[in-house]
Amino acid sequence: MGLYLNKPSYPCDPIHTIAALARTLRMSEAELLRIGNRANASWRMVKPEPGSTRETFDAHGPLKALHKQLKNRIFSRVYFPNYLQGSLKGRDYVSNADLHKNKQILICEDVKKFFPSVSAAFVEDVWLGFFGFSREVASFLTRLTTKDGTLPQGAITSSFLANLVMWRREPLLQAKLAAMGITYSRYVDDMSMSSTVHLDKAVQTKVIGMVYGMLAAHGLRAGRHKHEVFSASQRMITTKLIVNRKPSLTAAKRSKVRAQVHQLERAAESGVSEIELRELANQASQRVGQLARFHKRSGELLRDRVKVIRSQLPEQAHSFTTFPTSGFKIDGT
């Protein structure tokens, strides 16, 4: 029986000229060329979150507007298989974790310095080989979507390109693993493999070798210090969620949310400024909203405590305050 390759695909006609690219992006060719000539200087570094060592960038000015057009006019038309879970509509770290719940074994790998390790050559291969654009257009788009010869983390286009960069080999890896009864998924730089039956050491070694081989073919390496193998007899974690039964937050993260609500209450008692209290309340609301997504009862109790503090703020705060149920992250998840 042959393998079924579930490949990403682009159903539209290839773009062969810069003029045609400009029409697709709904701008003049002259303006497109001007943006391209200044592209590498049109980036700013984003201040990292506390404790983070990752360098994140944001395109600014016309380049950022162009990236939005690339998203709307090109990337939005791409079919992404379900094993690609990173930064796509309707998919996130929770849906990724859900693929691996109720399994007997879980293997997790992390790509070391993923974004800065993706070279412009592999980005150009996406535009040239996957999309089928001409070499002129592919080279130009690579200039628009890379910084100093690598894929910049944080750009609108980078998440889509990250999902596609291994388009030549990843579908075959996924198909081979599926034939072995193993579920594979990738959430940006986090790769997870799980099975409903236990895998012996030999099979585990084979699976890991297959993953490392695919990464090496793209100039990437696994962060070996983050290599983890979990069995059902212990707490199984992927993308920082417990998946033994259903995706849930770890006890440590639940404790941090409770601590943040307690901090908010202490701040209200100490008489901090309205601006500071509102900011703390917004932060707590976000964390509580995420917790409630996994732990409804605990979330409701904490939400009520935040509402008490909210009632002490001017009416303006109530006009825009919501308690989100998805999309927020705790400790970089």
Side-chain angles (χ1 to χ4, degrees), residues 81-86 91-101 103 106-111 163 166 170 173-175 177-178 182-195 207 211 214 238-239 243:
N82 196 50
Y83 57 81
L84 296 174
Q85 288 284 314
R91 306 179 199 180
D92 59 9
Y93 70 104
V94 182
S95 61
N96 178 74
D98 196 59
L99 293 173
H100 302 282
K101 66 184 180 183
K103 300 296 180 68
L106 171 66
I107 302 172
C108 297
E109 300 288 348
D110 177 86
V111 184
N163 280 310
M166 292 185 278
E170 198 164 27
L173 171 69
Q174 186 272 333
L177 292 175
I182 297 170
T183 299
Y184 167 86
S185 72
R186 177 163 65 90
Y187 178 72
V188 190
D189 55 356
D190 290 318
M191 308 169 78
S192 304
M193 290 72 66
S194 63
S195 174
V207 169
V211 171
M214 182 186 71
T238 186
T239 46
V243 293

Side-chain angles (χ1 to χ4, degrees), residues 32-95:
L32 180 59
L33 290 171
R34 279 195 295 271
I35 296 172
N37 290 333
R38 299 193 299 264
N40 204 56
S42 300
W43 298 92
R44 67 177 182 87
M45 183 178 289
V46 178
K47 184 178 179 180
E49 296 181 1
S52 174
T53 59
R54 297 189 178 190
E55 290 188 341
T56 304
F57 299 90
D58 183 30
H60 57 79
L63 181 60
K64 186 165 186 175
L66 187 149
H67 284 176
K68 290 180 180 178
Q69 283 295 84
L70 286 173
K71 174 185 176 181
N72 295 332
R73 306 290 295 171
I74 295 178
F75 287 119
S76 66
R77 300 178 182 182
V78 174
Y79 162 72
F80 291 94
N82 196 50
Y83 57 81
L84 296 174
Q85 288 284 314
S87 302
L88 297 171
K89 186 176 181 179
R91 306 179 199 180
D92 59 9
Y93 70 104
V94 182
S95 61

Side-chain angles (χ1 to χ4, degrees), residues 54-331:
R54 297 189 178 190
E55 290 188 341
T56 304
F57 299 90
D58 183 30
H60 57 79
L63 181 60
K64 186 165 186 175
L66 187 149
H67 284 176
K68 290 180 180 178
Q69 283 295 84
L70 286 173
K71 174 185 176 181
N72 295 332
R73 306 290 295 171
I74 295 178
F75 287 119
S76 66
R77 300 178 182 182
V78 174
Y79 162 72
F80 291 94
N82 196 50
Y83 57 81
L84 296 174
Q85 288 284 314
S87 302
L88 297 171
K89 186 176 181 179
R91 306 179 199 180
D92 59 9
Y93 70 104
V94 182
S95 61
N96 178 74
D98 196 59
L99 293 173
H100 302 282
K101 66 184 180 183
N102 293 319
K103 300 296 180 68
Q104 290 299 307
I105 190 168
L106 171 66
I107 302 172
C108 297
E109 300 288 348
D110 177 86
V111 184
K112 186 176 183 180
K113 296 182 178 179
F114 179 58
F115 285 91
S117 297
V118 174
S119 70
F122 285 104
V123 173
E124 184 167 356
D125 180 63
V126 172
W127 294 118
L128 184 65
F130 174 75
F131 285 101
F133 296 169
S134 70
R135 188 165 294 278
E136 176 191 30
V137 172
S139 177
F140 186 74
L141 283 168
T142 301
R143 190 193 317 167
L144 292 170
T145 54
T146 58
K147 180 185 183 299
D148 298 328
T150 62
L151 190 62
Q153 183 169 0
I156 293 170
T157 51
S158 289
S159 60
F160 296 103
L161 290 166
N163 280 310
L164 294 171
V165 73
M166 292 185 278
W167 70 276
R168 291 187 184 274
R169 292 174 178 262
E170 198 164 27
L172 181 58
L173 171 69
Q174 186 272 333
K176 286 182 176 179
L177 292 175
M180 298 166 63
I182 297 170
T183 299
Y184 167 86
S185 72
R186 177 163 65 90
Y187 178 72
V188 190
D189 55 356
D190 290 318
M191 308 169 78
S192 304
M193 290 72 66
S194 63
S195 174
T196 55
V197 298
H198 187 74
L199 307 176
D200 61 32
K201 285 290 184 181
V203 176
Q204 291 178 35
T205 300
K206 179 180 180 180
V207 169
I208 294 166
M210 291 165 64
V211 171
Y212 285 8
M214 182 186 71
L215 294 178
H218 295 84
L220 304 172
R221 292 185 299 161
R224 293 178 184 267
H225 66 291
K226 292 188 177 181
H227 161 81
E228 294 179 295
V229 178
F230 303 97
S231 66
S233 62
Q234 63 186 134
R235 191 174 61 170
M236 306 171 76
I237 300 175
T238 186
T239 46
K240 299 189 177 181
L241 293 174
I242 300 172
V243 293
N244 293 67
R245 296 176 59 189
K246 63 179 182 178
S248 60
L249 296 178
T250 64
K253 288 182 181 179
R254 297 198 300 273
S255 178
K256 285 185 177 181
V257 178
R258 290 193 295 270
Q260 191 158 10
V261 173
H262 181 65
Q263 179 188 7
L264 171 66
E265 292 169 333
R266 292 287 298 273
E269 292 173 358
S270 65
V272 299
S273 70
E274 177 190 321
I275 294 176
E276 184 177 353
L277 188 61
R278 179 174 287 117
E279 178 63 24
L280 289 172
N282 288 339
Q283 292 173 4
S285 295
Q286 293 176 0
R287 304 303 191 192
V288 170
Q290 188 194 44
L291 185 145
R293 184 178 182 183
F294 306 101
H295 308 278
K296 183 177 179 180
R297 180 57 181 163
S298 298
E300 289 175 346
L301 293 173
L302 292 174
R303 182 176 295 172
D304 289 342
R305 289 166 61 182
V306 175
K307 284 182 178 178
V308 171
I309 307 302
R310 290 268 186 213
S311 67
Q312 302 173 21
L313 294 170
E315 190 65 26
Q316 176 191 5
H318 298 291
S319 64
F320 60 83
T321 298
T322 60
F323 290 89
T325 59
S326 64
F328 292 95
K329 301 181 179 182
I330 294 179
D331 297 338

